[in-house]
């Protein structure tokens, strides 16, 4: 038996899982319209490769990865692209992002699927295929999976941790996945094992899911694998990657390090499942399991196409009439979506019908009495009340001293706070302010460099101009001297002509001098309003500058970066 | 669009629940106290609570704060009860009321109200009164004196003269005075043999009051309202210093048990030094805070000019709390090897 470790803190909210465990996984019906956001994973935003009017097949690429940390996006069903435009995202900000809107044709016709045996492929090719299939972490963080499948060159991979803990209340999609599709989950874990070559594989499942653990054990045994299925104590947030790693291996991964630096890597069970489907069946990620629960009459887990409007999915559970919102994710870390029309995305593991009966409105915020409950509940052993104090005072430097970036926003502190302070909210605010300030500082540094360069250039040009003028003046003087000599040498009959010459030549000289001045001025003309540029303007300017350089118009500017 | 930040699930807790539990935890001690000196203590609790709520309401109104929310948080009542329990039970009502008003107005609201006070308000009130009204603060009922309710009321409300029979002293004070007067000629064991005054361990009946506080304190620990750090450190340091001196010169220094069960030691260890607002919050900080308070309480009560030292000890440690906490920040998850 594996020796388990403990993490400090944690809370035990009512799990509310049984409600949605009574029914097997059902398939959600095809919606009338799918809105598939292109940006569904951490990292870059995939480029759309379809346009309005295109016919697409299920599983056809609609957005291609734009970099290494980016994952492809596919059409969830066959149909017609009706638009590629901006739609509200399932994000608390309620901001829009680029989406591919597909009208299904009802045939749900697959594109050509190419199953492969990953063992016959080079590791790079497996990783690339996973990227092409849009496989991302389905535990909620949606980090592109292929990006986590390269073993560290210096640290040997000791443990591969598979996360089936599912510690958030209400959510049961991983539980049902393990119960019903354990075989494919275990096969998927095999892929990760083959790529990372860990010494051992540990599958962590909270001990409130004995059925899932039994199913996984049976699958591991049936497939002749040596993975260890470990039941971990039910304690929120045991399913946080860092907490599960701690419980299973005793290793603590700080914010400043990657888990691979400590010889451990962690994947969610659903991610393993999709990785298997992607390789062995050639099916990219076009659907996922979503728990529909909360204030509904029939809580259940559904296999839902990515892009299905959330309100349509919620309807399947028959929400009670007092439902007043949809929470995406669990009740500890989830958020109210801005609108029922926002689509299900790869990160959507659970939809909870919100009502005041289920989640009573919070009591008003009281002052902090420094009781320290939050510090005792914090799984990262932070001092939330101190960070709160400094975040409130906008003393962001101090919040960083108290390690605000180690906060995983699990919500334990807010959960236990007797003063009902939305602590996590303060920490999110502080973090985003710090990021914004860092961006501003970077922009200011860039502007400063540009300004200094401009000054340098102006000084140089001034010197050049002065030199030019001096030369012109010298030439003029020489010319005048020559003319004077000529005039003196010539006879009286040439007087008129000489007078004419004397009249026109200074004019010509003056015109030339003025033109030279104007040119110098043009060259030296300072670009205006360059101190306060937003990112877009900055990028445009940089591009113009680059073109100018390419055309040899202006001297090379120092390398600049805005983001 | 509706906005409510996660988490949506919250533990059933509130400031008033915490404060109510603190008050509940005081009940065993209060019961023993009432059994010992009669209903006077209950009268003082009512007087102090009333004064605290009036002062709190007035200040909240002046400061433009929501009245209902803060009046019901229970923090003023906890302050009031601690004042009532540390003052002589037959002290005139105006003394207790003045102390409570001072605690609420000056020590709490002038610093910014709930959660902002650097000093424990009850102990500020105690310190102010023992400095300003030393005679009244030293009038403890003679041991075994159980006046009927009416007479106690009359004494507290000044309707009958403060008879000399009332002006006894606490066992702590009595021992200190006796030792001082005897100038080394009477030893502690001899003094303690006086069962009438000193009871079995530390003062007739008073040891049961202390036991009541201990019981309530353990209950608070079990409920997670306080952690073990401060009480354990307080008791340990008090036992350590008193034990060391007692072993060195048992004739001159009372035993650790006497010190633990007399005066404000138990109330201080579990209810006063554990005040989170004015105390330390980090685990190591709490240990230092508790140990410092225990040590200072002993030094003041044995070598200082006041009969008991808990109030000043806690106030002095309150002063140091921010610095202690700053220096005692625990290493966080994943950074322990660096610390």
């Amino acid at each position: 038996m594996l020796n388990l470790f403990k993490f400090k803190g944690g809370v035990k909210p009512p799990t509310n899982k049984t409600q949605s465990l009574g029914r097997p996984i059902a398939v959600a019906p095809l919606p009338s319209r799918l809105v598939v956001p292109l940006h569904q994973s951490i990292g870059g935003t995939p480029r759309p490769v379809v346009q309005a009017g295109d016919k697409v097949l299920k599983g056809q690429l609609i957005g291609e990865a734009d970099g290494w940390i980016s994952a492809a996006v596919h059409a969830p069903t066959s149909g017609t692209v009706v638009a590629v435009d901006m739609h509200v995202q399932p994000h608390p900000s309620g901001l829009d992002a680029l989406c591919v809107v597909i009208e299904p044709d009802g045939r749900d016709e697959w594109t050509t699927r190419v199953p492969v045996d990953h063992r016959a492929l080079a590791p790079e090719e497996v990783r690339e295929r996973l990227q092409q299939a849009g496989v991302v972490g389905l535990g909620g963080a949606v980090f592109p999976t292929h990006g986590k499948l390269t073993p560290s060159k210096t640290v040997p991979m000791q443990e591969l941790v598979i996360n089936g803990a599912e510690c958030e209340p209400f959510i049961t999609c991983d539980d049902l996945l393990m119960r019903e599709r354990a075989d494919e989950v275990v096969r998927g874990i095999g892929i990760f094992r083959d790529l990372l070559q860990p010494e051992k594989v540990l599958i962590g499942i909270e001990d409130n899911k004995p059925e899932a653990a039994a199913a996984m054990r049976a699958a591991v045994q049936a497939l002749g694998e040596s993975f260890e299925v470990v039941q971990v104590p039910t304690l929120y947030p045991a399913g946080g990657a860092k907490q599960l790693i701690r419980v299973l291996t005793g290793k603590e991964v700080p914010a400043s390090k990657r888990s691979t630096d400590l010889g451990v890597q962690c994947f969610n069970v659903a991610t393993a499942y999709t990785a298997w489907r992607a390789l062995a069946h050639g099916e990219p990620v076009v659907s996922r399991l979503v728990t529909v629960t909360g204030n509904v009459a029939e809580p259940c887990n559904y296999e839902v196409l990515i892009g299905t409007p959330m309100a349509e999915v919620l309807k399947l559970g028959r929400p009670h009439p007092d439902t007043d919102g949809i929470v995406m994710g669990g009740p500890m870390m989830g958020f109210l979506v801005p609108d029922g029309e926002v689509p299900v995305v790869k990160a959507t593991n659970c939809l909870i019908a919100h009502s005041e009966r289920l989640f009573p409105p919070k009591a008003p915020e009281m002052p902090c009495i420094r009781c320290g409950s939050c510090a005792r509940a914090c799984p990262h052993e932070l001092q939330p009340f101190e960070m709160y104090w400094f975040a409130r005072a906008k003393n962001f430097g101090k919040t960083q001293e108290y390690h605000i970036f180690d906060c995983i926003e699990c919500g334990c502190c807010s959960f236990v706070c007797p003063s009902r302070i939305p602590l996590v909210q303060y920490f999110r605010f502080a973090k985003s302010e710090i990021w914004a300030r860092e961006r501003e500082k970077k922009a200011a540094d860039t502007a400063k460099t540009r300004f200094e360069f401009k000054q340098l250039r102006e000084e140089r040009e001034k010197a050049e101009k002065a030199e030019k003028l001096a030369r012109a003046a010298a030439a003029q003087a020489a010319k005048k001297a020559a003319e004077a000599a000529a005039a003196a040498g010539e006879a009286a009959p040439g007087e008129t002509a000489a007078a004419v010459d004397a009249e026109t030549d200074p004019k010509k000289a003056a015109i030339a001098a003025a033109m030279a001045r104007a040119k110098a001025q043009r060259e030296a003309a300072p670009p205006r309003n360059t101190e306060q540029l937003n990112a877009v303007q900055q990028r445009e300017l940089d591009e113009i500058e680059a073109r100018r350089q390419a055309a040899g118009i202006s001297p090379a500017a120092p390398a600049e970066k805005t983001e | 669009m509706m906005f409510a930040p996660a988490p949506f699930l919250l533990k059933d807790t509130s400031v008033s629940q915490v404060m109510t539990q603190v008050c509940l935890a005081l009940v065993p001690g209060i019961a023993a106290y009432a059994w010992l000196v009669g209903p006077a203590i209950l009268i003082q609790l009512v007087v102090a609570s009333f004064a605290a709520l009036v002062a709190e309401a007035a200040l909240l109104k002046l400061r433009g704060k929501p009245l209902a929310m803060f009046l019901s948080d229970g923090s003023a009542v906890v302050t009031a009860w601690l004042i009532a329990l540390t003052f002589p039970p037959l002290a005139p009502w105006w003394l207790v009321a003045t102390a409570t008003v001072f605690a609420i107005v000056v020590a709490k609201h002038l610093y910014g109200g709930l959660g902002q006070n650097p000093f424990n308000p009850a102990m500020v009130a105690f310190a102010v009164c023992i400095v300003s009204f030393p005679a009244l603060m030293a009038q403890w009922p003679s041991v075994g004196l159980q006046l009927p309710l009416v007479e106690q009321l009359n004494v507290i409300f000044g309707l009958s003269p403060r008879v000399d029979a009332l002006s006894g002293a606490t066992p702590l004070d009595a021992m200190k005075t006796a030792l001082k007067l005897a100038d080394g000629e009477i030893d502690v064991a001899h003094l303690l043999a006086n069962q009438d005054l000193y009871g079995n361990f530390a003062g007739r009946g008073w040891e049961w009051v202390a036991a009541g506080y201990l019981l309530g304190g353990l209950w608070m620990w079990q409920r997670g309202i306080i952690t073990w750090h401060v009480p354990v450190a307080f008791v340990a340091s008090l036992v350590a210093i008193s034990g060391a001196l007692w072993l060195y010169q048992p004739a001159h220094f009372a035993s650790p048990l006497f010190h633990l069960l007399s005066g404000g030691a138990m109330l201080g260890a579990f209810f006063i030094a554990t005040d989170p607002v004015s105390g330390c919050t980090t685990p190591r900080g709490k240990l230092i805070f508790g140990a410092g308070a225990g040590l200072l309480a002993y030094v003041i009560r044995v070598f200082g000019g006041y009969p008991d030292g808990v109030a000043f000890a806690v106030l002095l440690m309150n002063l140091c709390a921010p610095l202690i906490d700053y220096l005692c920040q625990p290493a966080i998850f994943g950074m322990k090897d660096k610390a």
Side-chain angles (χ1 to χ4, degrees), chain B residues 189-203:
Chain B
H190 188 237
L191 276 174
L192 280 181
N194 178 2
Q195 289 270 322
D196 263 3
L197 177 57
Y198 296 109
N200 296 322
F201 309 109

Side-chain angles (χ1 to χ4, degrees), chain B residues 202-294:
Chain B
R204 189 160 144 195
W206 290 108
E207 55 230 14
W208 295 109
V209 178
Y213 293 143
L214 173 65
L215 190 70
L218 289 175
W219 180 73
M220 285 204 297
W221 168 69
Q222 187 265 328
R223 302 278 300 167
I225 308 243
I226 58 169
T227 62
W228 57 270
H229 304 80
V230 170
V232 166
F234 187 103
V235 168
S237 83
L238 187 56
V239 167
I241 175 115
S242 60
L245 288 171
W246 175 60
L247 287 175
Y248 166 64
Q249 259 192 335
H252 277 86
F253 299 99
S255 72
L257 201 59
F258 174 84
H259 280 288
L260 276 184
L261 294 178
S262 61
M266 279 299 147
L267 191 64
F270 284 95
F271 291 90
I272 297 169
T274 51
D275 170 26
V277 175
S278 55
C280 283
T281 51
T282 58
R284 270 193 301 153
K286 282 180 189 168
L287 288 176
I288 296 175
F289 185 93

Side-chain angles (χ1 to χ4, degrees), chain A residues 48-56 62 80-84 100-101:
Chain A
V49 294
V50 290
Q51 46 190 335
D54 287 359
K55 297 266 183 239
V56 289
I62 56 176
T80 314
V81 175
V82 292
V84 179
V100 175
V101 184

Side-chain angles (χ1 to χ4, degrees), chain A residues 138-395:
Chain A
L138 295 184
V142 288
F143 190 88
T145 301
H146 63 276
K148 290 168 67 181
L149 283 168
T150 313
S152 159
K153 286 189 183 70
T154 50
V155 186
M157 183 60 67
Q158 289 168 318
E159 298 102 351
L160 172 60
V161 169
I162 301 298
N163 191 343
E166 202 169 52
C167 61
E168 270 242 21
F170 286 96
I171 310 179
T172 56
C173 60
D174 287 349
D175 189 356
L176 276 189
L177 177 81
M178 289 187 283
R179 288 190 198 192
E180 297 191 14
R181 303 174 188 176
D183 177 80
E184 289 176 290
V185 174
V186 173
R187 286 171 192 273
I189 297 169
I191 299 174
F192 298 158
R193 187 261 329 270
D194 292 343
L195 285 169
L196 290 172
Q197 305 281 345
E199 285 163 26
K200 55 182 169 180
V201 179
L202 305 167
I203 304 170
I205 301 172
E206 271 193 349
D207 56 13
N208 60 0
K209 299 181 240 318
E211 295 89 346
M216 290 293 284
R217 269 200 197 106
V220 167
Q221 204 158 31
L223 291 165
E225 294 287 6
S226 58
F227 309 157
E228 199 170 339
V229 177
V230 189
Q231 287 190 267
V232 301
T234 299
L235 177 65
Y236 179 84
K242 291 179 179 189
Q243 280 65 43
L244 191 62
I245 289 173
R246 162 77 193 162
V247 169
L248 292 176
T249 71
K251 295 174 182 176
E252 294 186 355
V253 185
S256 53
K257 275 191 183 164
R258 292 161 202 249
S259 59
T260 42
D261 296 338
L262 299 172
V264 56
Q265 187 58 289
C266 181
F267 294 96
N268 177 263
V269 282
T271 314
Y273 171 78
T274 52
W276 173 253
R277 296 299 297 184
L279 296 178
H281 297 268
E283 290 175 6
V285 182
V286 293
S287 66
R288 69 155 297 148
L289 294 189
V290 179
T291 307
V292 176
T293 184
N295 192 39
V296 297
E298 290 168 13
C300 182
N301 280 278
Y302 291 94
E303 173 106 41
V304 182
L305 295 181
I306 303 299
T308 309
M310 286 185 183
E312 284 197 35
V313 182
L314 199 71
K315 246 183 248 161
L316 302 173
R318 300 205 297 119
H320 297 304
D322 61 335
T323 298
D324 56 5
I326 305 174
V327 174
M328 172 174 142
M332 297 299 286
M333 291 183 76
F335 57 90
L336 276 163
V337 296
D339 169 339
E341 284 310 300
V342 298
V344 166
V345 289
K346 289 176 186 175
T348 311
N349 49 7
C350 181
L351 296 178
I352 304 177
H354 183 283
S355 78
E356 294 203 344
R357 195 152 46 100
L358 188 64
F359 302 125
K362 285 165 206 170
E365 187 178 332
M366 298 272 291
C368 171
I369 54 168
R370 298 165 52 84
C371 67
S373 299
C374 50
R376 291 197 292 280
C378 179
H380 279 256
E381 298 160 62
L382 304 173
Q383 303 287 313
F385 62 96
E386 301 278 12
M387 298 200 300
Y388 152 76
W389 182 257
F390 293 120
R392 219 179 122 99
K394 300 195 178 161
N395 189 346

Side-chain angles (χ1 to χ4, degrees), chain B residues 37-93:
Chain B
V37 301
I41 183 60
L42 304 178
I43 298 164
Q44 299 290 20
L45 285 170
V46 172
V47 168
S49 303
F50 183 74
L53 288 173
V54 169
E56 179 91 356
L59 265 286
L60 287 172
K61 196 150 171 70
L62 267 175
R63 296 177 61 214
K65 300 275 174 189
L67 229 64
M69 184 170 127
F70 282 100
L71 271 183
S72 62
D73 70 25
S75 61
V77 176
V78 170
T79 301
W81 284 24
L82 289 178
I83 289 172
L85 293 175
T86 46
F87 275 48
L90 291 176
W93 70 272

Side-chain angles (χ1 to χ4, degrees), chain A residues 252 254 324 331-332 334 362 365-370 376 380-381 383 385 402-403 406 414-415 418-420 425, chain B residues 2-3 5-11 13-15 69-70 114-115 227 276-277 281 329-330 332-336:
Chain A
E252 294 186 355
D324 56 5
M332 297 299 286
K362 285 165 206 170
E365 187 178 332
M366 298 272 291
C368 171
I369 54 168
R370 298 165 52 84
R376 291 197 292 280
H380 279 256
E381 298 160 62
Q383 303 287 313
F385 62 96
Y402 282 87
H403 311 286
D406 277 79
S414 307
F415 178 80
S419 291
R420 295 280 86 117
Q425 214 46 28
Chain B
M2 181 173 54
F3 180 75
F8 298 93
L9 275 181
L10 294 174
K11 189 175 163 183
T13 173
S14 65
V15 175
M69 184 170 127
F70 282 100
L114 180 65
T227 62
V277 175
T281 51
Q329 283 301 314
I332 68 159
F333 184 89
M335 309 253 276
K336 279 161 204 158

Side-chain angles (χ1 to χ4, degrees), chain B residues 120-142:
Chain B
N120 185 312
M123 292 305 100
V124 171
F126 183 89
V128 165
C129 288
I130 206 162
V131 171
S132 314
F133 307 97
L136 286 174
M137 289 297 281
Q139 284 182 2
W140 289 75
S142 308

